[in-house]
Amino acid sequence: GKMDLALEFMEYAKNEALEEIFSSPIMTSMFAFSTRYQNCVPRNISYRATLYKHFMHILALREIEKNDEFLSDTNSIHKLKKCWQDISWIMYHYRIKLVLLHVSELEYQLIQKGHTKSIIRQAIIGLVNINEKSNEVTSLLHETMLEYLLASYGIQQMLAAGDELNIFMECNLASDVSAFVKEIWKQLEYNELDI
């Protein structure tokens, strides 16, 4: 029912230098979802990192709209995205230790970080895949989201610490999220990764 929007999307995909995004079915779906949700083509997206940032914001908006109690809180979107970042941080810790992460442990860790139960519940519903039989946290909605969130978390941590390397790393994020994440973990001491 949105033929004009679909045609605009097709024209944009044809004419813009977005080969990386439109050559991936998952990234194309993210771009299309953002287009449909906002009812306009998001023209500020030009590479993978900007797509993830935009998509995370749209996803957070959608999750907030599902829950009436969040609509009156203007900080709900920020709280939800912060919770997603903490989820990625916790998941990464468990992965490098080769330890299974169960949803109850994830919830406990998030409460320790100061998140409310309602935000935690919405964050998990919106982004986390859980094995129904074992209750184990298996992945995020899209695994590369984990890398984006980790990179984003790393930038914030380094900015807070006044780390001069952050300027270089922020540039890397624009072109290659995976390389950026690997660079972050090279800079951090291993004991900083302990829970």
Side-chain angles (χ1 to χ4, degrees), residues 54 92 118 135 157 160-161:
H54 185 80
Y92 188 82
S118 55
N135 238 6
Q157 297 299 102

Side-chain angles (χ1 to χ4, degrees), residues 37 58-68 70-71 122:
Y37 190 85
I58 296 299
L59 205 58
L61 275 174
R62 191 182 75 156
E63 288 303 312
I64 294 303
E65 288 173 359
K66 287 180 185 176
N67 195 324
D68 290 343
F70 297 136
L71 292 175
Q122 203 68 43

Side-chain angles (χ1 to χ4, degrees), residues 31-85:
F31 195 97
F33 174 81
S34 299
T35 298
R36 176 67 183 89
Y37 190 85
Q38 291 187 297
N39 202 30
C40 66
V41 174
R43 297 180 183 276
N44 59 331
I45 293 171
S46 54
Y47 46 81
R48 185 168 43 151
T50 53
L51 172 64
Y52 291 148
K53 184 175 183 180
H54 185 80
F55 182 71
M56 292 304 297
H57 186 74
I58 296 299
L59 205 58
L61 275 174
R62 191 182 75 156
E63 288 303 312
I64 294 303
E65 288 173 359
K66 287 180 185 176
N67 195 324
D68 290 343
E69 74 176 278
F70 297 136
L71 292 175
S72 59
D73 183 357
T74 55
N75 289 322
S76 289
I77 292 174
H78 172 74
K79 288 175 185 174
L80 186 63
K81 290 196 283 189
K82 176 70 177 95
C83 191
W84 281 341
Q85 284 186 323

Side-chain angles (χ1 to χ4, degrees), residues 129-168:
N129 293 320
I130 298 167
N131 182 314
E132 290 179 25
K133 292 180 182 175
S134 66
N135 238 6
E136 176 195 344
V137 174
T138 55
S139 63
L140 293 186
L141 177 70
H142 174 211
E143 268 301 280
T144 314
M145 283 291 179
L146 178 63
E147 292 179 344
Y148 172 74
L149 285 163
L150 286 166
S152 181
Y153 190 97
I155 288 174
Q156 290 173 13
Q157 297 299 102
M158 288 174 182
L159 274 174
D163 193 329
E164 293 175 14
L165 288 170
N166 183 64
I167 297 164
F168 166 74

Side-chain angles (χ1 to χ4, degrees), residues 66-126:
K66 287 180 185 176
N67 195 324
D68 290 343
E69 74 176 278
F70 297 136
L71 292 175
S72 59
D73 183 357
T74 55
N75 289 322
S76 289
I77 292 174
H78 172 74
K79 288 175 185 174
L80 186 63
K81 290 196 283 189
K82 176 70 177 95
C83 191
W84 281 341
Q85 284 186 323
D86 285 335
I87 287 171
S88 69
W89 185 251
I90 293 164
M91 283 177 66
Y92 188 82
H93 286 201
Y94 277 79
R95 283 185 181 187
I96 63 171
K97 290 179 171 186
L98 302 175
V99 176
L100 296 178
L101 175 60
H102 291 90
V103 72
S104 58
E105 178 61 21
L106 176 61
E107 290 169 345
Y108 173 77
Q109 294 283 341
L110 291 168
I111 287 170
Q112 296 305 303
K113 289 181 176 286
H115 298 287
T116 63
K117 287 184 179 180
S118 55
I119 283 287
I120 291 169
R121 187 170 42 255
Q122 203 68 43
I124 289 173
I125 289 168

